[in-house]
Amino acid sequence: AQLVESGGGSVQSGGTLTLSCVASGYSYCLGWFRQFPGKEREGVASLSRSGTTSYARSVQGRFSISRGDDKNTVTLQMTSLSPDDTAMYYCASGPACPFNDDPAAPRRVDSWGQGTRVTVSP
């Protein structure tokens, strides 16, 4: 699937941002990774086609992932943002969920979005 992202940008600490991603083909698992400078990509949240969600411990309770009725759109609402959330965010699709809390998860991804920057100022 080809993935096209939108959203992101800059916000002050405590603010909210929403990321969206549209997949052009079938995707069983859709979700988001983020990458800090000099670090590997880490899973943030994922949502299976059957509706199962999963979140990284660092974003649990602050981020919410949802999938459109057509199953090909995924949205990540990020609330209570802090400077620690500043990173490049990538939409991802793959044959299996979840993406979070697993260093091997990026190897299960078969498509990546182009990335969108999220910057949270103090």
Side-chain angles (χ1 to χ4, degrees):
Q2 183 177 7
L3 307 177
V4 178
E5 304 167 7
S6 61
S10 298
V11 68
Q12 288 189 318
S13 184
T16 297
L17 283 174
T18 300
L19 306 180
S20 295
C21 175
V22 179
S24 61
Y26 176 88
S27 298
Y28 176 76
C29 187
L30 279 175
W32 297 87
F33 286 74
R34 64 186 178 184
Q35 189 167 23
F36 303 108
K39 301 290 187 180
E40 298 293 321
R41 290 183 189 182
E42 61 179 44
V44 175
S46 57
L47 175 53
S48 73
R49 204 169 184 88
S50 59
T52 301
T53 59
S54 186
Y55 298 92
R57 285 185 285 271
S58 59
V59 306
Q60 189 87 35
R62 300 187 299 121
F63 290 13
S64 178
I65 191 169
S66 59
R67 201 156 178 170
D69 289 341
D70 62 358
K71 307 293 187 184
N72 291 332
T73 303
V74 65
T75 298
L76 184 69
Q77 184 178 49
M78 305 182 293
T79 65
S80 300
L81 285 162
S82 80
D84 290 340
D85 296 310
T86 295
M88 283 292 292
Y89 284 72
Y90 296 89
C91 183
S93 71
C97 285
F99 290 157
N100 52 281
D101 300 315
D102 180 2
R107 295 197 288 273
R108 298 197 298 274
V109 171
D110 52 31
S111 294
W112 294 99
Q114 76 276 15
T116 185
R117 183 168 298 280
V118 170
T119 303
V120 185
S121 57

